[in-house]
Amino acid sequence: MNEALETIGRDLGRMFEALAGLLFVSLLVPLVWGEYWAIPALAVSGLVPFAIGYSLTSRFREATRPGKLHGMIIAAVGWLCVAIFGSLPFLLIAWTVELGVPLLETPSRTSTLAAFTDPLNALFESMSGFTGTGLTMTDNEEVLPRTLQWWRSFIEWVGGVGVIVLTTAVLSRPGSGSLTLYESEARSERIHPSIVSTVQTIWWIFLLFTFVSILLLWAVGMPLWGAINHGMTGLATGGFSITDNSIATYDSAAIDFALLPVMLLGSIAFPVHYLILQGDLRNLYTDLQTRWVFIYMSLGTLALTMFVYAAGTYDTLFGAFRYGSFQFVSAATCAGFQTAVDATNVALGRWPIQAQLTVTFGMVIGGAAGSTVGGIKLIRALTLLKGIRFRIADVFYPESAVRRLKINGRSLNERELRQEFEEAAIIATLWFVFLAVGTFVLLLILPPGEYTLENVFFEVASAQGNVGLSAGITGPESLPTLGKITFLFNMWIGRLEIIPVLVTLRAVFDRGGLYQ
Amino acid sequence: MTLREIPVVGELLESGAEDRVFDTLLLIGPGIILVIALLGRSPLTLGIAIGYLVFFLAYVLYRGVQH
């Protein structure tokens, strides 16, 4: 057996074992809510990845540490496989109800649950959950069994931090190549010198903030089950809801405003959270990304409020601010909760064009690297802007001048600048290329005249930015099969920041040394 | 047996912000949610939840001032 395949197999096996653990923990939910009929489906969903994971880790126990190429392939293939296995609860629970298995006393069939009998819809939901996107194949989340409501929220919560981060925190030991895997999952910041201890601290912070978020939402009036689910998906900036009209269902300004800090917490890098908990509050403004999270959110909110108020979308300035601030923060933190829906006011898809494009801009940039958000990330956007300014100013200096670019307290020399600028430019370029490809595909397959260009652009940016705001295109019936496959790809590359997926595809097509 | 020796709990205490107060907030968080689930919304449970939030925020600020 090829050495590389053994390493990849061993680490994928660990990820599957971690996923099985999540599924077994989730068995508590049907027990608590009395949905006993869902237990066999959930147990089988856990046993499948456990059996495969256990056999892989046992067989390749002695495999060597992963290198950079292996790390990228493990991350890309692992996320795809986790999404596939994570779709089993949707599929099997839906089929349990559809077939009305005798002895299990299944509830009556609903069209919402029936949509998951299609494996593609189940996979879409799972990929959307794990990548923290939040686009959904359900048309009414309220009628889903509690077990599936929980599973949707839980996978977003885990996916927000990362499946590899979870696996590393639980199953890895120091020196097992954790750094390579950690960096392959679109992370690079460390809290401690050891990666294992870094990821454990990340989970510690995430858990504490989850309890804070749940209690905050409950205190402002959200029912407890809603607070648990929305606290988890809000902090993970995933955006799945358990109500039909997302957060608009509650139609409460207090809940809207309480969710703002929850989403903002999710969009700040974990190392900054750690320093703040240590008492170093200066990081709220000295850290470049955190400072820009606040500046960027404020400017976006202001612009959006102005656009929707000036266009007469909302009657009062407070209304424009309430919906404008929520939707911009929800988009820019990549949470994707919606308050602007038809049931309560004006749906996002019918906002003025300039407002829709402002929200799209928020989705494209995203929040801070090292947090739970998607998008290009603020640090890359800032590196590009500062790099461009630096290059233009270069012309005004003599050739002999020694210049350095300062970014986030670091002073970059010419070589470092070129490296960082190149990385930011490559990812930004690829991001826009795949955004354009996705838009093109959707324009080809959607019924002509039904959706505007800005609607389509908005929806693709939402999928690729792992945001989940919808202009109404995504749905089990409204989105054609090819559109679902396109969005699956957009969500996958968006979560892993494109390059690991491209490296994997090249390795698969070109054999990239795997079979040598 | 000390708290640090308990599985999961011990690892949680080892992992965090190296502060006993934050560790305590983390450990009692699920307990408060359970109490709320059992007792429902009442002035008492609301007071406990708000107390938790205010204490968390105040302690973060206190740590900041102390720093």
Side-chain angles (χ1 to χ4, degrees):
Chain A
M1 176 67 75
N2 184 298
E3 202 174 287
L5 279 179
E6 290 183 7
T7 302
I8 293 168
R10 191 261 324 273
D11 285 8
L12 285 179
R14 281 187 182 153
M15 286 174 75
F16 301 161
E17 284 179 338
L19 174 69
L22 301 180
L23 281 152
F24 292 140
V25 167
S26 298
L27 282 168
L28 276 171
V29 179
L31 281 173
V32 169
W33 287 100
E35 293 176 343
Y36 305 115
W37 56 270
I39 291 176
L42 203 56
V44 171
S45 306
L47 284 172
V48 173
F50 179 76
I52 297 173
Y54 184 75
S55 59
L56 284 171
T57 45
S58 307
R59 184 162 179 205
F60 304 129
R61 194 178 304 276
E62 303 304 324
T64 52
R65 284 185 202 181
K68 197 173 182 180
L69 171 66
H70 307 141
M72 288 196 177
I73 295 175
I74 291 162
V77 177
W79 272 82
L80 184 62
C81 291
V82 161
I84 292 170
F85 289 129
S87 70
L88 289 177
F90 297 106
L91 189 69
L92 298 182
I93 288 177
W95 274 109
T96 304
V97 173
E98 192 74 12
L99 297 173
V101 181
L103 300 174
L104 286 181
E105 294 179 20
T106 52
S108 47
R109 180 184 177 279
T110 60
S111 60
T112 303
L113 193 54
F116 290 132
T117 54
D118 179 349
L120 186 60
N121 288 346
L123 177 60
F124 187 100
E125 197 77 1
S126 175
M127 179 67 93
S128 177
F130 275 109
T131 55
T133 306
L135 288 170
T136 183
M137 281 294 122
T138 63
D139 53 15
N140 184 4
E141 291 90 335
E142 280 166 48
V143 300
L144 284 175
R146 302 277 180 165
T147 309
L148 281 186
Q149 289 183 343
W150 163 264
W151 183 240
R152 293 167 83 241
S153 303
F154 194 38
I155 59 179
E156 277 206 331
W157 187 72
V158 169
V161 179
V163 183
I164 290 175
V165 169
L166 172 74
T167 311
T168 309
V170 180
L171 298 173
S172 282
R173 293 290 167 260
S176 58
S178 318
L179 173 63
T180 314
L181 291 172
Y182 181 74
E183 289 178 339
S184 302
E185 204 178 46
R187 293 195 179 280
S188 55
E189 297 80 5
R190 293 199 217 181
I191 294 173
H192 305 294
S194 150
I195 285 299
V196 174
S197 110
T198 294
V199 294
Q200 285 174 342
T201 301
I202 286 176
W203 276 106
W204 185 96
I205 293 168
F206 200 52
L207 265 175
L208 177 63
F209 285 3
T210 302
F211 298 139
V212 170
S213 305
I214 291 170
L215 291 172
L216 174 64
L217 293 178
W218 183 80
V220 294
M222 197 181 272
L224 185 60
W225 182 244
I228 291 172
N229 284 277
H230 292 127
M232 288 166 71
T233 58
L235 185 65
T237 61
F240 269 155
S241 177
I242 57 162
T243 54
D244 191 18
N245 280 317
S246 190
I247 302 304
T249 306
Y250 301 106
D251 197 14
S252 156
I255 289 175
D256 292 359
F257 288 124
L259 264 167
L260 294 181
V262 174
M263 294 187 285
L264 285 171
L265 278 177
S267 68
I268 293 173
F270 284 102
V272 173
H273 282 310
Y274 176 75
L275 292 170
I276 287 167
L277 291 179
Q278 290 284 329
D280 198 350
L281 298 183
R282 285 173 307 168
N283 277 278
L284 285 172
Y285 58 88
T286 55
D287 178 72
L288 180 74
Q289 287 200 97
T290 311
R291 184 167 69 240
W292 272 92
V293 163
F294 292 113
I295 296 173
Y296 169 60
M297 300 294 169
S298 307
L299 292 177
T301 295
L302 199 66
L304 204 51
T305 304
M306 267 171 35
F307 288 142
V308 289
Y309 186 62
T313 312
Y314 297 99
D315 297 335
T316 63
L317 188 58
F318 176 76
F321 174 72
R322 176 183 162 192
Y323 292 102
S325 61
F326 189 92
Q327 289 307 164
F328 190 80
V329 171
S330 177
T333 60
C334 303
F337 284 134
Q338 277 187 253
T339 50
V341 296
D342 275 327
T344 50
N345 42 68
V346 182
L348 264 176
R350 291 194 288 112
W351 273 18
I353 294 171
Q354 61 271 33
Q356 284 193 50
L357 289 178
T358 307
V359 176
T360 308
F361 178 76
M363 297 195 281
V364 171
I365 302 296
S371 68
T372 66
V373 304
I376 292 171
K377 310 267 171 32
L378 275 169
I379 189 67
R380 297 221 178 78
L382 291 167
T383 304
L384 282 175
L385 284 176
K386 281 180 173 257
I388 291 167
R389 194 180 65 182
F390 186 85
R391 283 278 170 259
I392 291 171
D394 226 21
V395 181
F396 296 93
Y397 288 86
E399 277 187 29
S400 55
V402 177
R403 299 182 63 222
R404 282 175 176 266
L405 176 67
K406 285 195 176 164
I407 293 182
N408 210 14
R410 291 184 308 144
S411 186
L412 306 181
N413 61 29
E414 188 67 31
R415 188 184 58 79
E416 290 165 332
L417 166 66
R418 204 175 300 131
Q419 197 177 341
E420 301 240 348
F421 191 72
E422 185 184 275
E423 188 203 308
I426 288 172
I427 290 180
T429 306
L430 286 173
W431 220 92
F432 283 108
V433 166
F434 284 107
L435 185 62
V437 171
T439 305
F440 183 70
V441 171
L442 251 71
L443 284 172
L444 278 179
I445 60 172
L446 287 172
E450 195 157 328
Y451 300 102
T452 61
L453 175 63
E454 62 269 17
N455 286 163
V456 174
F457 191 67
F458 181 95
E459 201 89 358
V460 179
S462 177
Q464 190 165 296
N466 303 135
V467 181
L469 290 173
S470 177
I473 296 173
T474 305
E477 305 298 332
S478 53
L479 188 62
T481 300
L482 184 57
K484 290 175 190 171
I485 294 168
T486 306
F487 275 10
L488 277 171
F489 184 72
N490 285 123
M491 292 189 279
W492 185 36
I493 61 171
R495 178 62 180 83
L496 290 168
E497 295 189 339
I498 306 172
I499 291 179
V501 176
L502 296 184
V503 167
T504 304
L505 292 177
R506 182 186 183 278
V508 170
F509 290 127
D510 206 32
R511 295 188 173 182
L514 278 176
Y515 302 106
Q516 286 170 8
Chain B
M1 193 182 206
T2 64
L3 267 180
R4 289 187 186 277
E5 287 168 319
I6 301 173
V8 183
V9 172
E11 281 176 30
L12 281 174
L13 296 182
E14 290 292 330
S15 313
E18 289 126 38
D19 184 280
R20 194 53 68 88
V21 177
F22 283 128
D23 284 340
T24 309
L25 284 174
L26 180 73
L27 291 176
I28 65 169
I32 294 177
I33 293 169
L34 191 66
V35 167
I36 289 171
L38 293 174
L39 301 181
R41 192 179 289 273
S42 71
L44 175 70
T45 49
L46 199 58
I48 293 173
I50 292 173
Y52 183 94
L53 293 169
V54 169
F55 186 79
F56 170 78
L57 199 61
Y59 191 67
V60 171
L61 294 175
Y62 167 73
R63 292 267 291 175
V65 172
Q66 212 182 28
H67 193 271

